[in-house]
Amino acid sequence: MFVRPTNPISHRLARIAFILATVGSLIVAVSGPLHRFLGLDIEAAIAVFRYGFYLTVAGVALGLATILPARPGDRRRGSVAAFLAIVIGAAGAWVPLHWFLQAQHRPAINDITTDTATPPPLVATAQLRRGAPNPPTYPKDNAALQRAAFPDIEPVTLAVPPAEAFKRVERVATALDWEIVARVPADGRLEAFVISPWFGFRDDIVVRVRPQGTGSRVDIRSKSRIGEADLGGNVDRVRAFLARLKSEG
């Protein structure tokens, strides 16, 4: 009579690694929708995100530790589970790790503008920020931090009158899929907001157009409603706007 051998410990550990990596990746993935669609408090959602990351790392570590002992062969099954644990865990841990690395290399600011001396004020979007942790005012300490980290963020000068410059600003804002909430050509002001696709974070934007000589000067400001640091989201948005505006003809 044939008696099937029991699985070795390495095989069972490989399966545990697969479970840890899969569950951890799922937890990381749902942390954003829990906040965006179900209204889970952001601190709780970030905690879910963080502990999901811990599980994925544990799964990868255990997978690496068991992939060789669990390699295919006599009573040595489980290499597939260990391999999948490494792949799935690495995929699930990538975004948290990427965010962590960004936080280490970018200043802890959430307000970016091309005019740090007299930044464009939030007017219409200030009404949308009621109850938001970050006030609409421009932080005094931001200017020095921004200039040191992002010296390329500067206003754009266009060789067209303000009315034409404002039309260009509108075209760029529409092309970038901003949710425009205010168009005030008389003030040279356009305001909008954007929603991040995963966590649903909202950032407010104001663009200001003013005459400068025979042309126009365009300034932009992008500010997060929550979070001490934006992980570069606002500066990337400002850069995308400036680049597109410069290419508008």
Side-chain angles (χ1 to χ4, degrees), residues 22-243:
T22 302
V23 172
S25 296
L26 288 174
I27 291 174
V28 168
V30 303
S31 58
L34 284 175
H35 170 68
R36 181 175 182 180
F37 299 113
L38 299 182
L40 181 67
D41 179 75
I42 185 58
E43 296 297 332
I46 294 297
V48 171
F49 178 78
R50 182 170 59 250
Y51 286 112
F53 170 69
Y54 294 158
L55 287 178
T56 62
V57 171
V60 170
L62 192 55
L64 289 171
T66 58
I67 192 168
L68 290 180
R71 69 183 182 275
D74 184 28
R75 300 179 61 144
R76 288 194 169 200
R77 295 175 300 165
S79 61
V80 173
F83 176 75
L84 289 176
I86 296 169
V87 173
I88 294 172
W94 166 245
V95 171
L97 183 60
H98 179 61
W99 283 9
F100 173 77
L101 293 175
Q102 281 188 313
Q104 302 307 303
H105 294 91
R106 295 191 171 185
I109 56 179
N110 55 43
D111 197 336
I112 298 293
T113 180
T114 55
D115 188 348
T116 57
T118 56
L122 302 176
V123 182
T125 48
Q127 305 303 313
L128 303 177
R129 299 176 67 92
R130 291 178 179 175
N134 295 336
T137 53
Y138 183 75
K140 294 180 180 179
D141 297 335
N142 261 42
L145 293 172
Q146 179 186 308
R147 284 194 296 268
F150 313 120
D152 60 305
I153 301 301
E154 296 179 339
V156 171
T157 301
L158 301 177
V160 295
E164 176 59 29
F166 191 85
K167 291 178 181 178
R168 294 189 185 183
V169 166
E170 284 188 290
R171 289 198 297 267
V172 172
T174 301
L176 293 174
D177 292 325
W178 294 354
E179 294 288 340
I180 300 175
V181 297
R183 294 179 175 89
V184 190
D187 295 340
R189 174 170 52 87
L190 180 143
E191 293 188 68
F193 67 87
V194 295
I195 304 175
S196 66
W198 188 9
F199 272 84
F201 295 138
R202 298 189 176 219
D203 298 339
D204 296 313
I205 309 159
V206 55
V207 182
R208 181 178 63 197
V209 179
R210 295 186 296 185
Q212 180 164 300
T214 58
S216 304
R217 166 175 165 156
V218 180
D219 285 292
I220 179 175
R221 180 183 173 200
S222 182
K223 182 179 180 67
S224 302
R225 295 188 190 181
I226 65 173
E228 180 181 351
D230 60 16
L231 301 179
N234 286 305
V235 71
D236 291 343
R237 182 175 304 112
V238 167
R239 282 173 174 156
F241 171 82
L242 295 175

